[in-house]
Amino acid sequence: MYLVRSGAIAQFEQLVLELGENPIEMIHQAGLRQAQFRDPNTYIAYPRLAELLEIAAQRCQHPLFGLMLAQRQTLHVLGDLPMLVSRAATVADALARVNDYLYLHASGVSLQLQSQGEIVRLALSMNVHSPRGIEQLMQMSVAQLAMFVSSLLNINISNIPLYLCQNKPSELESQRLTHSVRFREPFNGVVLKASQLTGRNYHDEEALNRHLQSHLQYLQSRYPDNLADQARDLIHRLLPTGECCIERVSTALGLHERTLQTRLQETGQSYRQLLQDVRQNIAQQQLSYGTQTITELALQLGYAEVAVFSRHFKTWTGFSPKQWQQQYRKGRIED
């Protein structure tokens, strides 16, 4: 089963309401629940998200609903992907790392760089199927790709045309789109000059720090007066970077390491316990639904050795990672 972060369609409910329709009815019609969208890092079935977007386009009578939604979104819609490529020196290096981390945002999607002389195609490929099609999903995803690329290059997104395989709608919305869109193209994605790939990646160390500071404001609004939940969220984000440590987490929270430990102890918790909780939750979710190998999962969770991860997982659950996966898929472990 291919999964995607529910945060991928941020602003969905607001847009549908503005267009005079009921987003909750659409969510239920697609086999989803509104509660699944409260936390942007909740994973949902990719085909159901594709179906939801197609339902919305039909009910709202907007054939470019996916594009309309994407142009309302910010880079936060991609979760931690921008942060995870922040250490890449050039745009080419950053794009080369995208597929290494895409699974954290969505599985079943990949990015291919296709060189054609002085230009390079950035083509999105999706192994996602829905009875209603995936045109809206592809519109949104290509627009999100353009947003990501524009941030790497530090240029206006309007300077990056979108290429779509789908046919041009007979009547386009009166609403102005910020994107230049080309239909009936041989691929879905965007095009860059080859020379742009050698340019500086603007998601550098300072961008990483700004990302964490911006995220702190979100944490304080989402988890007011709950330091443990704020720390858990940051641990979840930092684990895949290989830089998850109490020093980084405490700095992101604007606290000294000892202060963080003391305040957690006052509530009967510790950084070590929070780290274990996050690792266990991610591991169980990925083993139950994800497509990662156990080795990939161990690395994502910050383990240098698979054997150490397996030993810890068995301590937490009573099962080895492989046993958990087998038992869950046989329905012997409840979600």
Side-chain angles (χ1 to χ4, degrees):
M1 178 191 297
Y2 292 116
L3 303 173
V4 61
R5 291 174 54 259
S6 63
I9 58 167
Q11 301 295 317
F12 172 83
E13 291 187 25
Q14 294 89 328
L15 175 57
V16 172
L17 286 170
E18 288 179 19
L19 295 175
E21 295 293 335
N22 188 329
I24 310 305
E25 287 182 1
M26 296 180 189
I27 289 171
H28 291 165
Q29 186 178 347
L32 296 165
R33 304 186 309 275
Q34 187 182 21
Q36 292 175 283
F37 297 90
R38 291 174 186 163
D39 182 346
N41 290 310
T42 298
Y43 286 97
I44 60 177
Y46 221 165
R48 292 194 183 278
L49 182 140
E51 185 173 359
L52 175 60
L53 291 174
E54 295 297 331
I55 291 171
Q58 182 179 27
R59 294 268 295 273
C60 297
Q61 299 183 0
H62 281 272
L64 295 183
F65 182 89
L67 286 180
M68 292 173 62
L69 179 59
Q71 73 179 18
R72 290 167 160 260
Q73 298 172 337
T74 68
L75 205 58
H76 288 293
V77 76
L78 297 176
D80 297 328
L81 185 61
M83 180 181 72
L84 293 170
V85 302
S86 62
R87 295 300 177 85
T90 67
V91 173
D93 293 337
L95 292 173
R97 295 187 185 183
V98 166
N99 284 326
D100 293 336
Y101 297 117
L102 256 179
Y103 70 91
L104 294 170
H105 176 65
S107 54
V109 59
S110 60
L111 179 67
Q112 292 91 38
L113 274 65
Q114 304 166 350
S115 297
Q116 295 187 331
E118 296 183 355
I119 66 169
V120 178
R121 287 179 177 176
L122 275 58
L124 276 181
S125 175
M126 287 187 174
N127 191 17
V128 178
H129 304 282
S130 166
R132 298 174 186 267
I134 64 168
E135 285 192 353
Q136 302 302 319
L137 176 61
M138 189 60 78
Q139 289 176 22
M140 182 184 75
S141 300
V142 170
Q144 290 173 348
L145 171 63
M147 177 167 52
F148 175 63
V149 171
S150 69
S151 69
L152 295 178
L153 293 166
N154 196 30
I155 63 175
N156 194 298
I157 191 172
S158 62
N159 294 324
I160 303 180
L162 311 184
Y163 291 71
L164 295 172
C165 296
Q166 58 197 249
N167 292 326
K168 183 178 180 179
S170 56
E171 293 185 7
L172 297 182
E173 289 80 7
S174 59
Q175 178 178 346
R176 292 180 300 172
L177 294 173
T178 58
H179 308 286
S180 169
V181 188
R182 302 183 183 183
F183 297 94
R184 300 190 68 180
E185 294 291 336
F187 75 104
N188 294 297
V190 301
V191 169
L192 296 181
K193 297 177 182 177
S195 59
Q196 288 177 299
L197 297 183
T198 60
R200 170 194 166 193
N201 168 24
Y202 277 81
H203 279 285
D204 53 14
E205 179 69 21
E206 285 304 312
L208 171 60
N209 293 333
R210 288 194 300 272
H211 175 89
L212 291 176
Q213 286 300 311
S214 173
H215 189 64
L216 176 58
Q217 297 176 6
Y218 162 78
L219 290 177
Q220 291 171 340
S221 63
R222 181 173 177 79
Y223 309 112
D225 303 319
N226 195 325
L227 183 63
D229 281 347
Q230 293 176 17
R232 282 192 190 93
D233 188 286
L234 285 166
I235 290 169
H236 188 285
R237 280 172 155 67
L238 288 169
L239 271 174
T241 70
E243 297 183 11
C244 184
C245 60
I246 189 170
E247 292 85 1
R248 173 72 83 171
V249 172
S250 58
T251 299
L253 290 170
L255 300 172
H256 189 277
E257 176 185 341
R258 289 194 297 272
T259 304
L260 174 60
Q261 286 282 41
T262 299
R263 290 181 58 181
L264 289 175
Q265 288 171 2
E266 290 172 354
T267 60
Q269 301 177 87
S270 69
Y271 174 81
R272 183 176 181 180
Q273 183 60 49
L274 296 182
L275 176 61
Q276 175 187 313
D277 291 345
V278 173
R279 280 174 161 170
Q280 182 176 346
N281 289 338
I282 294 174
Q284 290 179 185
Q285 186 174 55
Q286 289 295 331
L287 289 170
S288 301
Y289 298 112
T291 58
Q292 288 177 277
T293 66
I294 293 174
T295 299
E296 290 170 338
L297 177 56
L299 292 174
Q300 176 194 341
L301 296 176
Y303 290 96
E305 298 180 18
V306 178
V308 176
F309 163 59
S310 297
R311 185 166 62 249
H312 284 186
F313 189 85
K314 190 165 187 177
T315 300
W316 304 333
T317 67
F319 296 93
S320 71
K322 188 173 183 180
Q323 288 171 334
W324 172 277
Q325 201 168 49
Q326 292 171 340
Q327 294 296 316
Y328 185 90
R329 291 177 180 179
K330 289 178 181 177
R332 296 176 184 173
I333 300 176
E334 294 185 2
D335 188 359

